[in-house]
C-alpha cells in the first residue's frame, strides 16, 4: 500500500545554500540498502539502519550518499523492479523514515542522491496490471511495448532482441500479445514515446525533490528510447558495442530530449540538485553526450571501471576520459566498484581479461595491495569519485556463496550476465563479533564469511595500517590539498616503465603498477602512501610493487 506524508518537506536548499558546483569534485558513497545496516533485526538492511550510520559516513569524509532503490517492489531484481515510485518498500521502512534520513543527512552536511529506475517498471506496477487485465487495444498497453508475435500463429517473438539477463527480451501473455523487457520478465520496459510516461516521471522527480533529495542516479539511462520500429539486430553481436555502432535498444539519440526536460525540472529547485547517468556506451565520447550543459551533471565512467591495474591502459583511459568531458564542461567521474561488478580487491587479485564478474578469490594479499593503490590513484584524479560500500574496508567479493542462497536473477538464466553479483552484495561487517558482525541484531540475508569480523569497521578503526584508515586519511588530504578535486587535466611526468607519474599544481602522484620495487627521486614532502615507502638520505625513494604515493611539491 502506498504511504504518503501528510505534507512533503519544502524543497531543500542544499547544505551550503550557494552555487558551488559541489558535484565537480565530490566523493559520493554508494549505499546498497539491504546490505549496509539493519535497524530492526530482521536480517535485511533498511533506512533506519542507514540513518544510524550516517555519522560514520560523515567521519569517513564523503560528500554525498547515493542510495540504491528502496521503493515498493516485489524484489525480483533487488528493487530495480519498481511497483510504486512514491512509496518505500516495507522491508526498508516508510516515507517518514526516508524523510528523517534526508533531514539528518543534511544536518551532518551530507547530500542524498536516490536511484531512479525509468527504463522499466515492475510487472506489478498498476499501469502494467491494468494493461494485462484490459487486454489488446487497452490504452495502458501503449505505455509499454506490447506487440503481436511473428509467424502464422504469432508464436514467435516480435523481434530477435535478447534480454541482458539472458533469453528472449519478449514474454507472451495469455491473450497472445508479447511485451518487451530488456532485463527480467518481471521488468517490462516503458514506452518513452508515450507522453503519459514522460509526464509521470517529471512528477516523480518533483515528488522526491520536494522531499529534499539532492539528486538522482538514473538507472539504465542509455536504454529509455528504442529505435523506431524495433528492428531486428540480425547477425550483429548483441554483447559488443563497437565504435559508434549502437544497439537499437541502447544509446539512442532520443534519450537526450528526455534529460533536457528533466534538467529544467531540477533547475526549478534551489540547492544544486544533480542528475547522474548510468550510461553504458561504446565510447567515452558517446558518454559525454549525456553531460552536455543542458542535460545531466555527471555520468559514470565505466571505461575506467573496466580497466585493469596496468599503467599504460590506465593512462590511456584517463586521457580519453578527460579529453571527452572537456568540450562539454563536465567533470570526469572515477569508480572502481559497484553493486553490479566484482569488487576491485578481487578483480585485481586475478589475471586480466576475466571481466568484471568473477567466481575465484585469486591472490587476496595481491588484490588488496593493488586495490589500496588504485584507490589513491583514483582519488588523485581531477573530477568526482564514487566509493562502493565496504571498499573502504578492503572487502573482497564473497566467491564461495552456495548456489541455493544466491538471489541475482541473472544467475538463474543460462546466458546473459554471469549472475555472480551476489558476491559484492553480502552485508558489510561493523563489529568483530556478533551474529551478523554488527550488521544488525539478527542474521543477514546473505551469509557472511567467518573471517568477516577481522575486516570490520571496529577491527580497522585506529589501526594506522588498515584500509579504513587509509581511506579516512586520503579523503582528509583530498579536502586539504588545493591541487586535488575539481579540474580537467593532469600534467604527465616522465617515469619508469609501469609507473604513472603526474602533477596537479603543487601536488604530485606516483603509482607503481608493476610487481617489482621502483626507485624514484623524491619530489617533495610525502603526504600519503598505500604501502610503506622508504626515503633514503640520497633523496631517492623506493616505491614497493603495486603502490601509490602522494607528494606535496
Amino acid at each position: 500500500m502506498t504511504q504518503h506524508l501528510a505534507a512533503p518537506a519544502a524543497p531543500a536548499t542544499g547544505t551550503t545554500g550557494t552555487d558551488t558546483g559541489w558535484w565537480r569534485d565530490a566523493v559520493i558513497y554508494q549505499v546498497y540498502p539491504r546490505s549496509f545496516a539493519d535497524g530492526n533485526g530482521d536480517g535485511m538492511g533498511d533506512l533506519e539502519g542507514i540513518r544510524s550510520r550516517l555519522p560514520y559516513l560523515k567521519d569517513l569524509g564523503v560528500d554525498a550518499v547515493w542510495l540504491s532503490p528502496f521503493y515498493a517492489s516485489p524484489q525480483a531484481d533487488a528493487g530495480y523492479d519498481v511497483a510504486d515510485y512514491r512509496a518505500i518498500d516495507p522491508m526498508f521502512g516508510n516515507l517518514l523514515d526516508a524523510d528523517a534520513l534526508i533531514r539528518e543527512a543534511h544536518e551532518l552536511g551530507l547530500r542524498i542522491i536516490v536511484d531512479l529506475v525509468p527504463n522499466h517498471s515492475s510487472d506489478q506496477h498498476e499501469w502494467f496490471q491494468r494493461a494485462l487485465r484490459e487486454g489488446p487495444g487497452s490504452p495502458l498497453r501503449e505505455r509499454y511495448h506490447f506487440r503481436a508475435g511473428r509467424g502464422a500463429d504469432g508464436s514467435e517473438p516480435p523481434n530477435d532482441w535478447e534480454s541482458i539477463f539472458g533469453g528472449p527480451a519478449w514474454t507472451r501473455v495469455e491473450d497472445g500479445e508479447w511485451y518487451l523487457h530488456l532485463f527480467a520478465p518481471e521488468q517490462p520496459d516503458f514506452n518513452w514515446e508515450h507522453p503519459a510516461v514522460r509526464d509521470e516521471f517529471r512528477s516523480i522527480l518533483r515528488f522526491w525533490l520536494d522531499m529534499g533529495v539532492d539528486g538522482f542516479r538514473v538507472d539504465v539511462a542509455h536504454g529509455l528510447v528504442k529505435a523506431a520500429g524495433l528492428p531486428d539486430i540480425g547477425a550483429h553481436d548483441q554483447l559488443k558495442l563497437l565504435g559508434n555502432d549502437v544497439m537499437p535498444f541502447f544509446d539512442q539519440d532520443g534519450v537526450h530530449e528526455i534529460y533536457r526536460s528533466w534538467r529544467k525540472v531540477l533547475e526549478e529547485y534551489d540547492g544544486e540538485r544533480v542528475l547522474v547517468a548510468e550510461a553504458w556506451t561504446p565510447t567515452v565520447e558517446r558518454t559525454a553526450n549525456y553531460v552536455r550543459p543542458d542535460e545531466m551533471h555527471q555520468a559514470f565512467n565505466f571505461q575506467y571501471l573496466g580497466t585493469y591495474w596496468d599503467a599504460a591502459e590506465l593512462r590511456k583511459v584517463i586521457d580519453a576520459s578527460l579529453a571527452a568531458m572537456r568540450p562539454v564542461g563536465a567533470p570526469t567521474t572515477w569508480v572502481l566498484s559497484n553493486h553490479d561488478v566484482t569488487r576491485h580487491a578481487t578483480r585485481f587479485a586475478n589475471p586480466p581479461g576475466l571481466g568484471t564478474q568473477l567466481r575465484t578469490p585469486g591472490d587476496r594479499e595481491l588484490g588488496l595491495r593493488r586495490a589500496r593503490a588504485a584507490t589513491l590513484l583514483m582519488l588523485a584524479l581531477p573530477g568526482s569519485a564514487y566509493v562502493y560500500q565496504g571498499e573502504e574496508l578492503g572487502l573482497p567479493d564473497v566467491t564461495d556463496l552456495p548456489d541455493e542462497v544466491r538471489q541475482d536473477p541473472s544467475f538463474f538464466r543460462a546466458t546473459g550476465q554471469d549472475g555472480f553479483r551476489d558476491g559484492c552484495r553480502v552485508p558489510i561487517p561493523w563489529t568483530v563479533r556478533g551474529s551478523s558482525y554488527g550488521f544488525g541484531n539478527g542474521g543477514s540475508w546473505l551469509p557472511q564469511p567467518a573471517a568477516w569480523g577481522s575486516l570490520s569497521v571496529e577491527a580497522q578503526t585506529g589501526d594506522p595500517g588498515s584500509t579504513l584508515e587509509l581511506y579516512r586519511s586520503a579523503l582528509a588530504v583530498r579536502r586539504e590539498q588545493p591541487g586535488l578535486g575539481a579540474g580537467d587535466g593532469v600534467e604527465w611526468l616522465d617515469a619508469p616503465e609501469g609507473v604513472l607519474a603526474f602533477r596537479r599544481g603543487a601536488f604530485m602522484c606516483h603509482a607503481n603498477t608493476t610487481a617489482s620495487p621502483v626507485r624514484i627521486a623524491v619530489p617533495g614532502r610525502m603526504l600519503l602512501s598505500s604501502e610503506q615507502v622508504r626515503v633514503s638520505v640520497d633523496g631517492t625513494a623506493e616505491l614497493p610493487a603495486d603502490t601509490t604515493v602522494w607528494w606535496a611539491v
Side-chain angles (χ1 to χ4, degrees):
M1 183 177 70
T2 302
Q3 298 169 308
H4 294 289
L5 290 175
T13 58
T15 56
T16 65
T18 59
D19 291 342
T20 60
W22 64 268
W23 65 89
R24 291 188 170 274
D25 62 356
V27 176
I28 301 172
Y29 187 98
Q30 181 189 359
V31 165
Y32 193 66
R34 60 174 55 206
S35 299
F36 188 66
D38 174 13
N40 62 8
D42 66 354
M44 184 68 65
D46 48 41
L47 297 183
E48 174 58 26
I50 297 169
R51 189 176 67 83
S52 71
R53 297 293 186 177
L54 288 175
Y56 164 79
L57 297 177
K58 172 66 175 177
D59 292 342
L60 182 62
V62 300
D63 301 291
V65 181
W66 154 34
L67 302 174
S68 291
F70 47 66
Y71 308 107
S73 167
Q75 304 295 320
D77 184 23
Y80 283 93
D81 51 317
V82 181
D84 188 339
Y85 290 85
R86 298 178 181 83
I88 307 297
D89 195 282
M91 71 190 294
F92 298 126
N94 55 46
L95 283 172
L96 290 171
D97 295 322
D99 180 68
L101 191 159
I102 295 166
R103 292 179 187 274
E104 188 162 326
H106 286 167
E107 290 171 2
L108 291 170
L110 295 169
R111 290 177 166 89
I112 294 292
I113 296 172
V114 298
D115 235 306
L116 189 65
V117 188
N119 179 70
H120 48 262
S121 73
S122 165
D123 62 354
Q124 300 304 304
H125 190 283
E126 179 185 7
W127 285 3
F128 193 76
Q129 286 295 302
R130 281 185 56 193
L132 292 180
R133 290 194 302 270
E134 294 175 5
S138 166
L140 270 297
R141 292 205 174 191
E142 297 174 6
R143 300 181 186 185
Y144 293 91
H145 293 279
F146 278 87
R147 297 287 188 277
R150 294 194 291 197
D153 58 356
S155 61
E156 298 176 13
N159 67 22
D160 64 356
W161 294 3
E162 293 286 318
S163 164
I164 303 303
F165 286 168
W170 295 90
T171 290
R172 197 178 193 187
V173 299
E174 291 183 0
D175 56 47
E177 287 196 333
W178 298 72
Y179 69 88
L180 175 69
H181 53 87
L182 293 183
F183 295 88
E186 298 87 352
Q187 296 169 291
D189 279 45
F190 283 117
N191 174 17
W192 272 88
E193 303 299 331
H194 198 290
V197 175
R198 299 192 179 212
D199 290 344
E200 171 68 358
F201 273 89
R202 283 192 291 267
S203 175
I204 292 167
L205 289 174
R206 289 189 173 95
F207 178 86
W208 288 103
L209 290 166
D210 288 341
M211 283 278 288
V213 303
D214 299 286
F216 303 89
R217 175 267 190 185
V218 182
D219 184 64
V220 196
H222 55 299
L224 276 58
V225 173
K226 280 67 174 174
L230 309 184
D232 278 344
I233 295 173
H236 189 17
D237 183 353
Q238 299 196 59
L239 299 181
K240 293 180 181 178
L241 303 178
L242 303 176
N244 288 328
D245 186 12
V246 297
M247 305 302 292
F249 50 74
F250 281 155
D251 197 29
Q252 296 293 305
D253 290 338
V255 299
H256 301 291
E257 177 187 352
I258 296 168
Y259 301 134
R260 284 191 287 271
S261 74
W262 288 13
R263 180 68 173 258
K264 292 178 181 177
V265 172
L266 265 66
E267 289 175 351
E268 297 171 6
Y269 290 78
D270 296 329
E272 294 189 292
R273 317 303 177 93
V274 300
L275 292 168
V276 182
E278 185 214 27
W280 292 86
T281 65
T283 65
V284 289
E285 290 77 17
R286 295 283 303 183
T287 301
N289 290 337
Y290 290 78
V291 289
R292 288 176 286 198
D294 60 347
E295 295 189 39
M296 297 199 182
H297 299 78
Q298 289 186 344
F300 287 157
N301 189 343
F302 290 118
Q303 284 80 9
Y304 186 76
L305 183 151
T307 303
Y308 196 69
W309 182 239
D310 175 87
E313 293 302 312
L314 286 166
R315 178 167 175 172
K316 180 180 178 180
V317 74
I318 290 168
D319 281 342
S321 301
L322 293 170
M325 297 299 150
R326 202 172 290 125
V328 295
T332 307
T333 64
W334 313 102
V335 59
L336 292 168
S337 288
N338 64 35
H339 66 291
D340 280 333
V341 300
T342 298
R343 290 181 178 276
H344 59 282
T346 296
R347 290 203 315 277
F348 293 158
N350 285 274
L354 297 184
T356 58
Q357 291 194 17
L358 308 175
R359 211 177 183 184
T360 170
D363 184 334
R364 164 63 179 157
E365 182 179 345
L366 174 65
L368 179 59
R369 190 168 68 246
R370 288 175 170 175
R372 289 163 57 95
T375 295
L376 288 196
L377 173 61
M378 175 184 76
L379 292 175
L381 295 170
S384 179
Y386 282 78
V387 173
Y388 177 52
Q389 65 176 46
E391 73 174 70
E392 78 275 17
L393 305 177
L395 295 185
D397 247 50
V398 181
T399 57
D400 58 353
L401 288 170
D403 289 353
E404 59 269 20
V405 306
R406 292 185 178 274
Q407 300 190 31
D408 182 353
S410 59
F411 177 76
F412 301 98
R413 291 169 173 80
T415 58
Q417 292 186 6
D418 293 333
F420 300 126
R421 296 179 297 174
D422 291 315
C424 65
R425 300 175 178 181
V426 173
I428 67 174
W430 294 91
T431 60
V432 175
R433 297 176 180 82
S435 60
S436 61
Y437 302 104
F439 169 64
N441 295 325
S444 63
W445 67 282
L446 281 173
Q448 299 161 298
W452 228 222
S454 63
L455 300 175
S456 66
V457 173
E458 179 185 20
Q460 296 195 42
T461 294
D463 177 359
S466 71
T467 301
L468 175 58
E469 294 298 348
L470 176 68
Y471 269 73
R472 286 171 170 162
S473 297
L475 293 178
V477 173
R478 181 182 165 99
R479 286 181 181 273
E480 295 165 358
Q481 285 293 314
L484 290 175
D488 63 2
V490 299
E491 177 190 353
W492 292 110
L493 305 172
D494 291 338
E497 185 176 357
V499 176
L500 291 172
F502 62 85
R503 183 168 178 163
R504 300 184 60 204
F507 171 87
M508 187 180 292
C509 177
H510 282 93
N512 179 12
T513 70
T514 74
S516 303
V518 174
R519 186 160 292 279
I520 63 168
V522 173
R525 176 172 58 91
M526 188 187 307
L527 295 170
L528 192 63
S529 62
S530 61
E531 301 295 331
Q532 187 173 5
V533 173
R534 293 186 176 87
V535 177
S536 302
V537 294
D538 64 357
T540 64
E542 184 177 89
L543 303 186
D546 302 308
T547 297
T548 298
V549 186
W550 290 359
W551 310 91
V553 180

